[in-house]
Amino acid sequence: MTLYKPTAQLKIALTGRCTNDCAICFNDTRRRDNASRSDLPVAQIRDAITAAAEMGLSGVYWTGGEPLLRYADMVELTRHAKSVGLPASMVTNAAPLGAYGAYREKNEALLREAGTWDLSPAQMVDELRDAGLT
């Protein structure tokens, strides 16, 4: 008989890169630091998610920097989390979802690298939801 269910979630900073320069950012991410930041490989993150599920954690959530700057990886990893029974959520500034105008142009290189440049916000939201993002 289980007396309790763990509520701890695995927090994964998918990237330290960001589209903003928020003075209040608790992750201390700045646009000027984007080039110097490296990301963990997908395989290593997948292994951590599998281990978290085996330990009985209650979920996984993506943060960063801006986690949507690894959009394709986040979709893949969210699918993996769902397949091992962990719901996934994210902390985001949502800029890659709805960037427009001068802000979009300023962040073009980051959005292209993320794979979100040619996608509509509706396409991204649908794909994330279908992958299992809550």
Side-chain angles (χ1 to χ4, degrees), residues 32 81 83 120:
R32 70 177 178 272
S83 77
S120 72

Side-chain angles (χ1 to χ4, degrees), residues 6 8 12 16 31 45 48-49 52 58 88-89 93 105 112-114 116 126 129 134:
I12 298 178
R31 289 177 52 80
I45 297 170
I49 293 166
S58 64
S89 59
N93 67 28
E105 301 304 319
R112 285 191 182 280
E113 184 180 339
T116 62
D126 287 347
R129 185 187 56 237
T134 58

Side-chain angles (χ1 to χ4, degrees), residues 54-126:
E54 290 169 356
M55 292 180 348
L57 270 63
S58 64
V60 59
Y61 71 98
W62 314 121
T63 185
E66 174 46 57
L68 288 169
L69 290 179
R70 286 187 72 183
Y71 174 78
D73 292 341
M74 190 170 80
V75 170
E76 176 185 339
L77 292 165
T78 298
R79 283 188 181 116
H80 176 67
K82 183 179 179 180
S83 77
V84 296
L86 294 181
S89 59
M90 77 172 149
V91 176
T92 179
N93 67 28
L97 279 175
Y100 64 94
Y103 183 83
R104 177 174 166 81
E105 301 304 319
K106 180 178 181 178
N107 289 292
E108 179 177 356
L110 289 171
L111 299 174
R112 285 191 182 280
E113 184 180 339
T116 62
W117 183 258
D118 294 320
L119 299 175
S120 72
Q123 288 172 305
M124 288 183 275
V125 168
D126 287 347

